[in-house]
Amino acid sequence: MESQRHALKAVDEWNCSTGNYSDFLTHMHKAWHYLLHAEFHKAGVDYRYRDPKTGRYVMIDGEPKAWDLERCLRERYANAGDPVRLNAELFVALRNKVEHRYEHNLKIATGGKAQALVVNYEQEMVGHFGIKYSLADRLRFPVSLQALTAEGREQLESAARKLPQPTRDLVAKFEAAIDPDVLESLQYDYRIRLVPMVGSKTDADLAIDFVKLDELTEEERRVMVQAGRKGTVIIRDRQVEVADRAKLRAKQVCGAVEERLPFEFSPFSEHVEMWQRFHVRPPKDSAKPYETDARYCIYSEAFNAYLYTQAWVEKIIREVGTPAKYQDFFGKEPRMKQGVSLPRQVGPPAEEGEQHLQRESA
């Protein structure tokens, strides 16, 4: 019941026009924390920390220290790739990071994930303690002006873009190692599309009618998106692929580059020199592996590897995408693919000393 109280407070903070995003994060953190403690208590699981050497409880103010939420999530969802666990872990990280002046922007940018956090909580609560603990009869679908006008949508997108770089990097780095199928899961990011009601209304109709995506045919989805149908329909909005979603290893970057160029591009020579000269990432075995240029590269702790974005592929092609640009940048002629010849130069070739000076100045 204490868990439920915090969940209701969290949703009230979210839905209120003067609500506080930090309070939403805090209350949902407590709601999940107390819920999992209640589950462990019901199942007879000892959820208190013990000293690994003595086996005795770790004490704080005379009381055994209970597991924190992150430990609870690991115990409840053993699969590290579980979308429910990943969604909750993201909000644990955001709770520790959020800055007051950026709360509004962060609330907009994480709306779908916050919705998933609450929906997952509701399913977890009802699944373990029964329908009588459901929040459904006390929560309403909020009245909202978001995205009802083109101007409103533009303001929302602008607010999301104004998030500080460290906060945007936090989400990008967190999601870098997540399987794309999990990123698409409703349990990780709950996104919807609203189609206004058309046609006559009956006494049995509700203002909101929830339709499961899996129960619709392709034709039904097409018709609802284009013209609507009787009843307001809420369906999942397919996530659009963007430049920083798909991450590439160095070998994949070079393969993508070579597909568009007439010469070879090696992950062990050209690629290394380019990320070094553009300060895209720190050296191997750096004590600060996260200090990357997030536009082009992020560090994946799960894989202990650097992953690159499509934007980095495009930058490489802009910088060295022709034989002339390649020679200016690297100070040498490119290794042309089999059957492809280097274009004839106009004028005499640069002397070796001149090539060296060009490379140094670059």
Side-chain angles (χ1 to χ4, degrees):
M1 292 178 69
E2 182 67 4
S3 168
Q4 189 181 61
R5 184 180 72 83
H6 280 289
L8 289 168
K9 290 286 291 182
V11 177
D12 285 345
E13 289 291 338
W14 182 276
N15 287 340
C16 178
S17 61
T18 58
N20 184 287
Y21 184 68
S22 290
D23 287 346
F24 167 80
L25 294 175
T26 297
H27 284 298
M28 280 308 302
H29 186 102
K30 290 182 177 179
W32 266 104
H33 199 185
Y34 294 158
L35 173 59
L36 294 181
H37 279 186
E39 288 183 21
F40 296 146
H41 180 79
K42 179 183 177 183
V45 174
D46 187 355
Y47 52 92
R48 293 167 293 184
Y49 286 104
R50 291 180 180 270
D51 187 305
K53 294 182 179 179
T54 66
R56 296 177 180 176
Y57 289 121
V58 177
M59 307 298 289
I60 295 182
D61 297 330
E63 295 289 336
K65 180 182 177 182
W67 291 345
D68 57 26
L69 179 54
E70 288 180 289
R71 172 67 183 276
C72 290
L73 289 168
R74 291 197 299 270
E75 294 292 333
R76 169 63 182 88
Y77 304 99
N79 179 7
D82 189 295
V84 176
R85 170 176 161 177
L86 288 168
N87 173 268
E89 287 177 336
L90 173 62
F91 280 94
V92 171
L94 288 174
R95 176 175 177 263
N96 298 332
K97 185 74 176 178
V98 64
E99 299 178 48
H100 178 72
R101 58 184 172 147
Y102 295 112
E103 284 182 11
H104 175 70
N105 308 55
L106 190 58
K107 181 177 180 180
I108 291 170
T110 60
K113 297 176 178 63
Q115 181 70 55
L117 183 71
V118 176
V119 171
N120 293 342
Y121 170 86
E122 166 78 355
Q123 293 176 343
E124 185 77 7
M125 171 67 84
V126 173
H128 283 267
F129 296 100
I131 194 66
K132 69 177 182 178
Y133 288 100
S134 171
L135 305 180
D137 63 334
R138 278 173 280 182
L139 299 180
R140 316 288 182 270
F141 195 85
V143 175
S144 174
L145 298 180
Q146 286 192 3
L148 294 187
T149 65
E151 293 78 14
R153 181 177 179 83
E154 184 176 336
Q155 288 179 348
L156 293 177
E157 293 173 348
S158 175
R161 288 195 297 269
K162 291 178 182 177
L163 280 171
Q165 187 69 39
T167 304
R168 282 185 280 131
D169 287 353
L170 184 152
V171 177
K173 291 172 181 177
F174 184 89
E175 295 187 340
I178 298 179
D179 188 285
D181 290 338
V182 174
L183 292 176
E184 293 283 337
S185 169
L186 286 172
Q187 292 177 309
Y188 180 77
D189 194 352
Y190 194 95
R191 304 176 67 198
I192 62 175
R193 174 174 295 149
L194 303 182
V195 181
M197 179 183 291
V198 295
S200 59
K201 181 180 182 299
T202 70
D203 292 339
D205 286 339
L206 297 174
I208 301 295
D209 182 26
F210 289 87
V211 177
K212 292 184 178 180
L213 182 67
D214 295 341
E215 294 177 354
L216 306 178
T217 66
E218 290 295 328
E219 178 63 18
E220 284 177 325
R221 277 180 285 211
R222 184 188 66 80
V223 171
M224 284 188 291
V225 170
Q226 294 180 355
R229 56 175 287 182
K230 183 177 179 181
T232 302
V233 179
I234 302 181
I235 62 174
R236 184 185 179 193
D237 198 3
R238 177 184 172 87
Q239 291 200 15
V240 179
E241 191 72 16
V242 295
D244 62 352
R245 286 283 307 282
K247 303 302 185 296
L248 308 169
R249 292 183 179 272
K251 187 175 181 180
Q252 293 173 309
V253 168
C254 296
V257 169
E258 283 192 342
E259 285 182 359
R260 296 164 61 179
L261 300 182
F263 46 81
E264 297 176 2
F265 190 85
S266 169
F268 307 109
S269 56
E270 288 96 341
H271 186 250
V272 172
E273 185 168 346
M274 288 199 74
W275 66 250
Q276 288 175 338
R277 288 170 63 176
F278 284 108
H279 306 290
V280 167
R281 45 158 282 196
K284 184 180 179 182
D285 299 326
S286 169
K288 298 180 179 179
Y290 290 106
E291 292 187 350
T292 66
D293 185 335
R295 295 173 300 172
Y296 306 126
C297 176
I298 62 172
Y299 174 71
S300 170
E301 185 174 17
F303 296 111
N304 188 28
Y306 290 97
L307 303 177
Y308 302 87
T309 66
Q310 184 63 31
W312 177 234
V313 174
E314 301 301 328
K315 182 170 179 61
I316 291 173
I317 291 172
R318 286 197 305 272
E319 297 292 338
V320 300
T322 67
K325 288 182 176 180
Y326 181 101
Q327 188 160 358
D328 286 342
F329 188 92
F330 293 110
K332 62 182 181 181
E333 291 185 353
R335 302 179 305 281
M336 305 303 291
K337 294 178 181 177
Q338 188 173 4
V340 180
S341 301
L342 187 67
R344 293 184 58 187
Q345 295 181 342
V346 178
E351 296 293 334
E352 181 177 352
E354 293 176 343
Q355 289 181 356
H356 177 74
L357 288 175
Q358 288 174 359
R359 184 175 183 184
E360 288 296 319
S361 62

